[in-house]
Amino acid sequence: MRHFLIVGILVVVAAILTYVGLDSANLMPVAASAQAVPIDEMWNLELIFMSFFFALIVVPLAYSLIAFRRKKGDTSDAEHMEGNTKLEIAWTVLPLFIVIAFAYVGAVNLAETRRVDPDAIIVKVTGIQWSWKFEYPPYGVVSDELHLPVDKQVLLQMTSTDVIHSFWVPEFRVKQDLVPGRITELRITPTLEGDYKVRCAELCGTSHAFMEKPVVISSQGDFDEWMAEQVKLAEQAAATPGGRGQALVAANGCAACHSINGAQGIGPTWSGLFGHEVLLTDGTPVSADEAYIAESIKAPQAKIVAGFEGQLMPSYGFTDEQIADVVAYIKTLR
Ligand code: CUA
């Protein structure tokens, strides 16, 4: 009985210390959305149970090693035991109830993270190898940054042009896959103004690790200002072919592979490309004129530049007009 009492006290103490240690380790980033609240509650509940079971297993084990070690000169066998039905029923039924309780709490919290606000703003999100595109339908604005006003639910309607990506802002806690040919939804109510980052949480190829874009949560006033600026920029850009091309390039994440500063990436740089000669994989030189660049956008595998074998640029399905705009933009990159 004395052993049970000592072990019981030690288990409680070890459980509390483990929980305090884990809790103060700041395992989670700051919570910045309404959806983070039920998730963090669930997480905290799990930490408590984890700490308790950790102590329940490790403390009696360590205690037995010390308290019941063989005495010097004792060569007798241990006492024979035939099992313990009561104990077996207890350790089967108790965990069953704990798991059912967790399933219930989990379901309630999951429903909480999906609670629908009928006034939610809609933003269309497209995942592209390896970038993000955000469309704001009411404004006709396309951006590669996600700007949102604080304390307003946003409904993200998401899809992918190529492979499966996953939208993840750790501070918002919730996460959702983007699947080609399908629209998936995610609701977020940002509650804390600040600069965050969306990252891709699904291994999607060479530059998966760099598939990040800024997420800016601001006051409604700052958001409206940013949006007005975007609308103005879009109007200005739409007036010239080069401007339209630049907007297309930004919206489709071309910079994930093609730099405009001469740095070699996954694909050839666009800096100083126009009007210069490039060497193809078979050694033939080709002049990078309008026809060549247009062909390389339309049928990326037709002529591959030496050194970029094996990089499979997708065809983005641009219209001839859009391709002409992109070519006009590339022409400006001297
Ligand atoms: Cu997209 Cu990983």
Side-chain angles (χ1 to χ4, degrees):
M1 207 57 212
R2 190 173 65 92
H3 290 305
F4 275 108
L5 194 69
I6 296 171
V7 167
I9 292 168
L10 287 177
V11 164
V12 172
V13 172
I16 291 171
L17 287 178
T18 308
Y19 173 71
V20 170
L22 286 174
D23 191 49
S24 58
N26 282 327
L27 296 171
M28 290 283 213
V30 63
S33 78
Q35 288 71 22
V37 177
I39 303 232
D40 283 2
E41 278 172 11
M42 190 83 204
W43 168 248
N44 192 47
L45 198 63
E46 278 170 16
L47 274 191
I48 292 171
F49 273 76
M50 272 193 280
S51 306
F52 173 68
F53 282 113
F54 172 76
L56 190 65
I57 292 162
V58 172
V59 169
L61 181 79
Y63 184 85
S64 305
L65 281 176
I66 296 159
F68 305 119
R69 70 184 183 280
R70 178 145 59 177
K71 307 261 174 332
K72 226 179 180 171
D74 177 5
T75 52
S76 64
D77 279 342
E79 196 185 323
H80 180 73
M81 261 181 77
E82 265 310 318
N84 187 327
T85 312
K86 277 186 203 149
L87 201 58
E88 282 175 29
I89 290 174
W91 77 43
T92 306
V93 173
L94 264 175
L96 183 69
F97 280 114
I98 294 173
V99 169
I100 290 172
F102 262 99
Y104 176 75
V105 178
V108 169
N109 285 18
L110 182 63
E112 186 63 29
T113 64
R114 295 190 176 174
R115 196 205 288 272
V116 174
D117 180 346
D119 297 328
I121 320 164
I122 292 177
V123 176
K124 294 192 170 163
V125 183
T126 309
I128 309 151
Q129 275 173 322
W130 291 275
S131 186
W132 299 91
K133 177 164 94 171
F134 304 102
E135 287 171 78
Y136 301 79
Y139 306 93
V141 162
V142 181
S143 173
D144 63 352
E145 293 185 3
L146 179 60
H147 286 243
L148 295 170
V150 73
D151 292 329
K152 252 218 168 127
Q153 191 178 80
V154 57
L155 169 60
L156 302 177
Q157 294 180 331
M158 314 199 286
T159 192
S160 162
T161 56
D162 32 57
V163 299
I164 299 176
H165 303 279
S166 182
F167 182 98
W168 185 41
V169 180
E171 290 84 358
F172 297 159
R173 301 291 191 270
V174 283
K175 184 157 91 174
Q176 175 64 52
D177 276 5
L178 289 78
V179 185
R182 222 203 264 180
I183 307 278
T184 52
E185 295 190 334
L186 186 63
R187 286 178 188 274
I188 296 165
T189 313
T191 51
L192 200 62
E193 288 179 32
D195 293 335
Y196 307 99
K197 213 166 21 171
V198 55
R199 37 202 100 201
C200 179
E202 186 73 59
L203 187 58
C204 59
T206 319
S207 289
H208 156 72
F210 307 105
M211 191 169 159
E212 302 177 331
K213 285 291 170 193
V215 175
V216 179
I217 307 302
S218 57
S219 65
Q220 183 71 48
D222 286 355
F223 172 76
D224 292 339
E225 218 168 88
W226 176 80
M227 193 49 87
E229 177 79 22
Q230 296 305 304
V231 171
K232 211 170 84 193
L233 285 175
E235 278 165 4
Q236 281 169 1
T240 65
R244 286 195 296 271
Q246 187 173 9
L248 268 173
V249 162
N252 286 281
C254 306
C257 300
H258 301 281
S259 81
I260 56 168
N261 63 2
Q264 291 301 344
I266 303 232
T269 182
W270 288 345
S271 170
L273 169 66
F274 185 78
H276 287 78
E277 207 161 72
V278 293
L279 224 49
L280 301 184
T281 43
D282 60 1
T284 3
V286 164
S287 171
D289 54 13
E290 285 170 7
Y292 163 79
I293 296 175
E295 181 190 25
S296 294
I297 298 171
K298 210 169 199 170
Q301 311 309 322
K303 294 194 176 95
I304 295 177
V305 176
F308 296 97
E309 301 87 349
Q311 298 297 354
L312 290 178
M313 168 176 159
S315 165
Y316 283 80
F318 290 154
T319 63
D320 288 343
E321 216 169 33
Q322 287 174 318
I323 289 176
D325 289 342
V326 173
V327 174
Y329 168 60
I330 292 176
K331 275 166 88 168
T332 66
L333 302 171
R334 297 288 165 173

